[in-house]
């Protein structure tokens, strides 16, 4: 195993660089980069790794591509990297081919009537996510979300939370962490001190939580306390203003919140990681290079996705050299980072897949070619450990146990009026960015088998009711909170369609995927028509809901 260097041998620049985790595309080639302002080219990424950044967060690509990408990244690094991903709903949420779970709120819904079963599902979700993460070279799972989502209008947390009950969120988050801890990966509880009761998206602006310390202690903090007790490795800060604690700085930049509350009062000894510093709540207000300095002053160990990584390193180094930040403060963070890196490199800890996590070793050219051949063979083996039948079974069980159905069976309108065609109307947030729909997706394929013609629209499509639209319609709404976009626009479009189809008498059945809050808004205006709801939007969720709907048809 490649060992970590003695901290005394590292320069200030090298120490500070270890505190950065930079974003990169999971795709293998530069022409595939989707967000060039955030995702560096291969040459720039290699230079950043060469500078000694502590880690990389990946987004996009398939699981197989990620397995190759993580090998490449580790081979560039002199000091082993933390490789992270926002895989709150499983590796398949971000990287095609792996297991994609329904959002955590689905498990929270099960907990409302069977807490023990929900805890079992949360633990299995954590374990499967950790096992699949390791299989593709990811050693830091940026989950679970432990925010208590008690604001139905929350555009950014929403179904990413286990729910609105602090006790249930605490128990399910703890179960998830314990499941993940059966593998040598890091976990992260987010977003401290709680992003659930907001109506603004911190990707775009700075939300504020007006609650008193007593209210925070009652609702927002218990899940973080439970996560810490369960052994969570990191806590991610929220870009929130909490005037009762700090009237000037958001949590990410507040020493009172990160150091006094989290580190001292709650006794957290692990990594404190910022939420992405490119997000509008921070980047638009504090600047690319001042924000990282403020975050370090506040107590952050990891600076996630700074706008200008090289500028951030220089800014923090300058702050140390001018006495604004002590070198001991930097060393304390890197010591925590070293402890975390040693944890994920533990060769003696058995994994369920039979593999062990190890950092790659630098070899001579001849030995290196043999090593590369071994890695390719290992990659082939671990890739085929993804999306196993057991994992699919857990996903299906969670979806089935959490779905809501009503007014079944679905009556076959075609038999009543054979002259009318049947329409399958699908409404999504953004057609061009829709990764859960394709020609063979169940939302399209299953209704087609029953004689429906598909029509697709999104929140940008005008809601126009033509004469040709006068036909029995299966309406499928894909609505959930989305960072940077929220859910308000698509929810309004969905409601307009429901009302128009009800007025014309053509709403034959309704399926809602995603937000239970949207379903609650629609139920009062729905007559006794067949309907189904799923927390998930992925193809498996579509199959479960539509199979239930059509299987009970007459």
């Amino acid at each position: 195993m490649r060992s970590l260097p003695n901290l005394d041998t590292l320069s200030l620049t090298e120490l500070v660089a270890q505190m950065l985790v930079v974003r990169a595309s999971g795709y293998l080639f530069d022409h595939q980069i989707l967000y060039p302002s955030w995702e560096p080219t291969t040459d720039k990424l290699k230079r950043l790794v060469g500078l000694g950044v502590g880690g990389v967060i990946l987004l996009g690509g398939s699981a197989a591509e990620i397995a190759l990408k993580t090998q490449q990244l580790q081979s560039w690094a002199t000091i082993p990297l933390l490789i992270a991903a926002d895989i709150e709903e499983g590796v398949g949420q971000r990287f095609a081919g792996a297991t994609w779970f329904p959002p955590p709120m689905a498990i929270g819904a099960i907990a409302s009537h069977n807490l023990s079963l929900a805890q079992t599902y949360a633990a299995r979700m954590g374990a499967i996510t950790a096992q699949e993460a390791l299989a593709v070279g990811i050693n830091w799972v940026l989950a679970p979300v432990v925010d208590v989502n008690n604001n139905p209008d929350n555009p950014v947390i929403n179904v990413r939370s286990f729910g609105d009950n602090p006790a249930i969120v605490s128990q399910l988050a703890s179960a998830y962490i314990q499941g993940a801890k059966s593998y040598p990966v890091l976990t992260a509880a987010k977003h401290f001190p709680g992003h659930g009761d907001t109506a603004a998206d911190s990707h775009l602006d700075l939300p504020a939580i007006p609650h008193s310390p007593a209210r925070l202690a009652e609702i927002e903090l218990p899940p973080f306390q439970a996560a810490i007790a369960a052994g969570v490795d990191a806590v991610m800060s929220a870009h929130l203003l909490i005037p009762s604690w700090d009237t000037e700085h958001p949590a990410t930049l507040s020493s009172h919140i990160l150091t006094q509350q989290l580190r001292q009062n709650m006794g957290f000894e692990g990594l404190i990681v910022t939420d992405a510093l490119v997000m509008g709540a921070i980047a638009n207000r504090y600047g690319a290079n001042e924000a990282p300095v403020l975050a370090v002053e506040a107590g952050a160990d990891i600076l996630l996705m700074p706008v200008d990584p090289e500028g951030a390193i220089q800014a923090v180094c300058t702050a140390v050299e001018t006495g604004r930040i002590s070198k001991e403060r930097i060393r304390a963070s890197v010591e925590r980072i070293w402890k975390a890196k040693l944890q994920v490199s533990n060769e003696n800890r058995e994994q369920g897949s039979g593999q062990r996590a190890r950092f790659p070793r630098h070899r001579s050219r001849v030995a290196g070619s043999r090593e590369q051949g071994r890695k390719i063979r290992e990659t082939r083996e671990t890739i085929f450990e993804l999306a196993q039948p057991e994992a699919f079974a857990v996903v299906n069980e969670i979806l089935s146990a959490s779905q809501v159905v009503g007014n079944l069976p679905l009556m076959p309108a075609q038999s009543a009026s054979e002259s009318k065609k049947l329409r399958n109307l699908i409404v999504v947030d953004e057609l061009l960015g829709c990764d859960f729909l394709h020609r063979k997706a169940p939302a399209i394929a299953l209704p087609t088998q029953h004689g429906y013609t598909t029509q697709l629209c999104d929140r940008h499509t005008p809601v126009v009711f033509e004469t040709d639209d006068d036909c029995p319609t299966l309406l499928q709404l894909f609505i959930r909170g989305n960072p940077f976009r929220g859910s308000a626009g698509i929810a309004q479009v969905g409601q307009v369609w429901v009302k128009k189809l009800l007025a014309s008498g053509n709403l034959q059945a309704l399926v809602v995927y995603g937000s239970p809050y949207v379903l609650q808004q629609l139920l009062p205006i729905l007559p006794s028509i067949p309907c189904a709801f799923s927390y998930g939007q992925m193809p498996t969720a579509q199959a479960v809901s539509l199979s239930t709907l059509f299987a009970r048809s007459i």
Side-chain angles (χ1 to χ4, degrees):
M1 184 190 77
R2 184 154 52 104
S3 60
L4 296 167
N6 188 309
L7 292 183
D8 293 331
T9 66
L10 299 183
S11 67
L12 174 61
T13 299
E14 290 171 324
L15 289 171
V16 171
Q18 280 295 306
M19 298 175 68
L20 272 66
V21 171
V22 299
R23 174 165 165 169
S25 170
Y27 294 105
L28 295 177
F29 305 107
D30 288 348
H31 69 267
Q32 295 177 292
I33 289 174
L34 299 178
Y35 304 98
S37 60
W38 289 358
E39 298 169 349
T41 62
T42 300
D43 287 345
K44 184 175 181 180
L45 180 60
K46 189 173 183 179
R47 185 173 74 251
L48 290 172
V49 172
L51 286 174
V53 297
V56 177
I57 178 173
L58 295 170
L59 183 66
S62 68
E65 287 173 294
I66 291 298
L68 294 175
K69 186 87 171 192
T70 56
Q71 284 186 9
Q72 181 186 56
L73 289 167
Q74 294 288 14
S75 72
W76 290 343
T78 302
I79 299 174
L81 295 165
L82 294 177
I83 299 183
D86 271 316
I87 42 179
E88 300 162 3
E89 298 169 25
V91 176
Q93 177 192 13
R94 301 295 185 191
F95 310 116
T99 303
W100 191 351
F101 284 90
M105 196 173 283
I107 300 178
I110 297 170
S112 65
H113 57 82
N114 192 332
L115 178 59
S116 177
L117 179 61
Q119 288 175 299
T120 298
Y121 285 144
R124 295 177 76 182
M125 179 180 177
I128 291 168
T129 299
Q131 178 262 320
E132 293 195 354
L134 286 177
V136 297
I138 295 168
N139 54 28
W140 193 0
V141 175
L142 296 179
V145 170
V146 303
D147 303 308
V148 179
N149 196 83
N150 49 18
N151 187 334
D153 295 326
N154 194 315
V156 64
I157 302 301
N158 207 273
V159 293
R160 297 165 62 195
S161 164
F162 284 108
D164 60 5
N165 184 305
I168 288 178
V169 172
S170 297
Q171 292 174 82
L172 296 183
S174 297
Y176 179 99
I177 292 165
Q178 290 162 359
K181 282 174 68 68
S182 57
Y183 295 85
V185 300
L186 303 180
T187 52
K190 53 191 191 183
H191 307 79
F192 186 81
H195 206 315
D197 196 5
T198 62
D201 184 354
S202 54
H203 293 81
L204 304 172
D205 203 356
L206 181 63
I209 291 185
H211 303 311
S212 68
R215 150 61 196 252
L216 294 170
E218 178 186 1
I219 303 295
E220 276 76 20
L221 297 186
F224 289 97
Q225 294 168 326
I228 292 169
V232 75
D233 304 287
V235 171
M236 179 180 289
S237 68
H239 299 333
L240 297 170
L241 190 65
I242 306 171
S244 65
W245 274 353
D246 191 325
T247 58
E248 183 178 357
H249 296 107
T252 296
L253 309 180
S254 170
S255 60
H256 179 83
I257 294 174
L258 297 189
T259 298
Q260 183 174 328
Q261 296 293 338
L262 178 57
R263 188 71 80 195
Q264 297 174 1
N265 294 356
M266 297 177 68
F268 179 60
E269 298 179 351
L271 293 173
I272 296 179
V273 54
T274 71
D275 204 344
L277 294 177
V278 297
M279 289 165 60
I282 299 297
N284 295 343
R285 291 169 179 262
Y286 298 94
N289 295 331
E290 178 65 9
V293 175
L294 290 170
V296 174
E297 285 185 310
D301 301 306
I302 296 283
L303 304 172
L304 181 65
M305 291 175 58
V307 176
D308 174 12
E310 293 172 87
I313 294 171
Q314 183 57 53
V316 175
C317 286
T318 299
V320 175
E321 291 163 352
T322 59
R324 181 176 174 183
I325 297 173
S326 70
K327 189 169 182 180
E328 290 72 26
R329 166 70 190 83
I330 301 299
R331 185 181 176 103
S333 284
V334 181
E335 285 176 350
R336 295 187 190 99
I337 294 167
W338 252 227
K339 183 178 179 181
K341 289 190 173 185
L342 286 171
Q343 181 178 331
V344 297
S345 67
N346 186 352
E347 288 187 298
N348 298 315
R349 186 174 178 184
E350 291 293 330
Q351 301 174 36
S353 64
Q355 303 293 322
R356 292 182 175 85
R358 51 172 65 87
F359 290 126
R361 188 195 306 269
H362 286 304
R363 303 290 181 94
S364 68
R365 181 170 297 182
V366 175
S369 62
R370 289 198 298 267
E371 175 74 358
Q372 187 170 4
R374 180 186 65 79
K375 287 180 186 176
I376 290 173
R377 290 192 297 274
E378 285 187 354
T379 299
R380 288 173 182 163
E381 293 171 2
T382 57
I383 284 297
F384 288 113
E385 294 171 1
L386 301 175
Q388 292 295 299
E390 177 188 357
F392 276 117
V394 175
V395 171
N396 277 279
E397 289 172 18
I398 295 172
L399 287 167
S400 297
S402 63
Q403 76 171 337
V404 178
V405 295
N407 301 317
L408 297 179
L410 169 60
M411 299 301 292
Q414 195 165 15
S415 62
S417 179
E418 295 183 359
S419 61
K420 288 189 175 182
K421 67 177 183 178
L422 298 173
R423 177 173 58 171
N424 172 30
L425 177 59
I426 298 175
V427 183
V428 302
D429 178 24
E430 191 87 48
L431 282 170
L432 291 178
C434 193
D435 55 3
F436 48 79
L437 278 183
H438 50 78
R439 190 181 302 274
K440 297 297 182 181
I444 295 174
L446 288 179
T448 299
Q449 294 172 12
H450 289 267
Y452 288 78
T453 299
T454 300
Q455 179 181 337
L456 301 174
C457 64
D458 64 14
R459 61 192 173 116
H460 304 296
T461 306
V463 182
V464 179
F465 197 80
E466 303 289 350
T467 304
D468 291 344
D469 293 334
D470 186 21
C471 57
T473 299
L474 164 62
L475 178 61
Q476 298 188 70
L477 304 178
F478 289 82
I479 304 177
R480 63 171 283 179
N482 290 300
F484 294 103
R485 295 195 302 270
S487 60
I490 181 63
Q492 292 170 2
V493 172
Q495 288 189 15
V496 170
W497 271 114
V498 167
K499 291 176 181 178
K500 282 186 173 293
L501 289 169
L502 284 174
S504 66
N506 285 308
L507 185 59
Q508 184 195 23
L510 172 69
V511 185
V512 177
Y513 304 93
S515 172
Y517 308 113
V518 171
L519 178 67
Q520 292 166 9
Q521 293 171 7
L522 293 175
L523 284 177
I525 65 172
L526 288 177
S528 297
I529 64 165
C531 62
F533 167 77
S534 175
Y535 286 90
Q537 295 186 323
M538 65 284 206
T540 311
Q542 301 165 26
V544 169
S545 293
L546 290 173
S547 294
T548 301
L549 200 67
F550 286 117
R552 301 187 188 183
S553 305
I554 293 178

